[in-house]
Amino acid sequence: MTVPMVHAHAVRKHFGHLEVLKGIDLDVQAGEVVVILGPSGSGKSTFLRCVNHLEAIDGGSIFVDGELIGFQESGGKVRHLRKSEITRQRREIGMVFQQFNLFPHFTVLQNVMEAPVGVRREPRGQARERALGLLRRVGLEDKAGSYPRQLSGGQQQRVAIARALAMRPKLMLFDEPTSALDPELVGEVLATMKGLAEDGLTMIVVTHEIGFAREVADRVVFMDGGVVVESGTPKEVLDNPTSPRTKAFLSRVL
Ligand code: ADP
Ligand code: MG
């Protein structure tokens, strides 16, 4: 058995008295695309944020590529990671948000080069070549010299994807990457993501785009109320859901 890219077991998270994750179990194999569906407030973003160290978990454990991310309780012992370990792990996990958060005063090329040069200390020439290659991959090589404000939302989101890829992540997390876009711009971003999936990138995608889930996902996970309610192939979960909660959700979004 190979080590899964993500292994989450009994993950719990609360904010004050609000229990947001109530024991999440999820494995993602290398090269797999997992789409997480679920109503607003079900804990999808929180779960992604825990995988990427943006939130600390309160119970259970998360491993990425065999390495501990969250703490593990064994015999009451809690293992905390060193800051340097956390920083290194975060670099290997790319995240794309609903809001693209590009640096407005940087060109598209500078946005994509920033982390490789500033964080990974890549030589500028090499980082530039790679950045141009990534912009080609997201279909925006001709926009290298433009500023974010000169781009459409869909183009900005594709730059954000290229910027995340520039750190050579072994895992990419997408949190509703098309939810802030005008409907006519959604397709170009989903097409870009489909291309990454076909290239074998391991991806966890939170989205309400059922068509994308059906076409691209290896597995669909339905979350509600801080638990995984149902998980399976797109056909199983989307066409033959077993849980009434999944059925009710799908009837609202389909
Ligand atoms: P989803 O992404 O599925 O819509 P979230 O993970 O964003 O759900 O949120 C789950 C619940 O946790 C919501 O009730 C939300 O209000 C709450 N929550 C999320 N982040 C915080 C926070 N930093 N502090 C307090 N409550 C939060
Ligand atoms: Mg969310």
Side-chain angles (χ1 to χ4, degrees):
M1 261 299 276
T2 49
V3 178
M5 185 56 80
V6 178
H7 173 65
H9 177 62
V11 172
R12 306 187 81 86
K13 173 71 187 174
H14 58 80
F15 294 110
H17 292 299
L18 182 67
E19 253 203 304
V20 175
L21 301 180
K22 302 175 184 169
I24 299 283
D25 290 316
L26 182 69
D27 275 15
V28 181
Q29 304 303 322
E32 219 183 0
V33 177
V34 171
V35 164
I36 301 181
L37 301 175
S40 180
S42 55
K44 306 180 300 294
S45 296
T46 301
F47 177 71
L48 288 191
R49 293 169 62 81
C50 288
V51 173
N52 199 20
H53 283 299
L54 292 173
E55 300 286 354
I57 65 178
D58 299 314
S61 50
I62 300 178
F63 291 82
V64 171
D65 204 15
E67 277 190 45
L68 184 67
I69 295 271
F71 71 68
Q72 194 176 36
E73 291 164 290
S74 59
K77 268 189 84 172
V78 173
R79 225 197 95 184
H80 288 286
L81 295 172
R82 282 196 303 273
K83 250 207 155 83
S84 58
E85 284 181 286
I86 291 175
T87 307
R88 180 181 54 72
Q89 289 176 339
R90 287 205 57 204
R91 285 179 197 166
E92 298 173 347
I93 303 171
M95 186 145 177
V96 173
F97 301 89
Q98 187 173 328
Q99 298 300 338
F100 339 116
N101 305 321
L102 299 176
F103 300 114
H105 55 292
F106 280 4
T107 64
V108 162
L109 183 66
Q110 287 168 335
N111 265 283
V112 180
M113 285 175 61
E114 200 270 336
V117 172
V119 179
R120 282 180 62 122
R121 305 284 168 216
E122 266 186 46
R124 289 198 82 82
Q126 181 191 319
R128 189 189 151 82
E129 281 316 301
R130 279 220 314 120
L132 288 170
L134 290 167
L135 288 174
R136 200 175 312 131
R137 199 161 159 198
V138 300
L140 288 173
E141 206 188 8
D142 57 326
K143 298 290 184 194
S146 301
Y147 286 87
R149 66 173 179 279
Q150 300 171 310
L151 305 183
S152 73
Q155 291 170 331
Q156 289 187 53
Q157 189 60 300
R158 286 188 280 148
V159 175
I161 292 171
R163 184 179 60 177
L165 292 173
M167 288 297 276
R168 306 178 193 269
K170 48 189 175 189
L171 169 67
M172 282 281 282
L173 310 175
F174 295 84
D175 193 0
E176 301 203 33
T178 60
S179 293
L181 299 176
D182 291 335
E184 74 271 22
L185 303 177
V186 168
E188 65 190 59
V189 172
L190 295 179
T192 299
M193 291 166 60
K194 186 177 175 204
L196 303 180
E198 284 165 356
D199 290 345
L201 196 65
T202 310
M203 300 166 40
I204 305 180
V205 183
V206 172
T207 184
H208 297 298
E209 295 292 334
I210 301 295
F212 178 85
R214 199 181 287 285
E215 200 183 340
V216 181
D218 296 301
R219 211 142 43 82
V220 173
V221 171
F222 177 70
M223 268 180 76
D224 193 7
V227 298
V228 171
V229 173
E230 183 157 2
S231 137
T233 65
K235 258 194 164 2
E236 286 165 350
V237 176
L238 300 174
D239 297 337
N240 295 297
T242 53
S243 158
R245 285 151 90 181
T246 315
K247 284 180 197 168
F249 174 79
L250 289 173
S251 71
R252 286 199 304 272
V253 299
L254 279 177

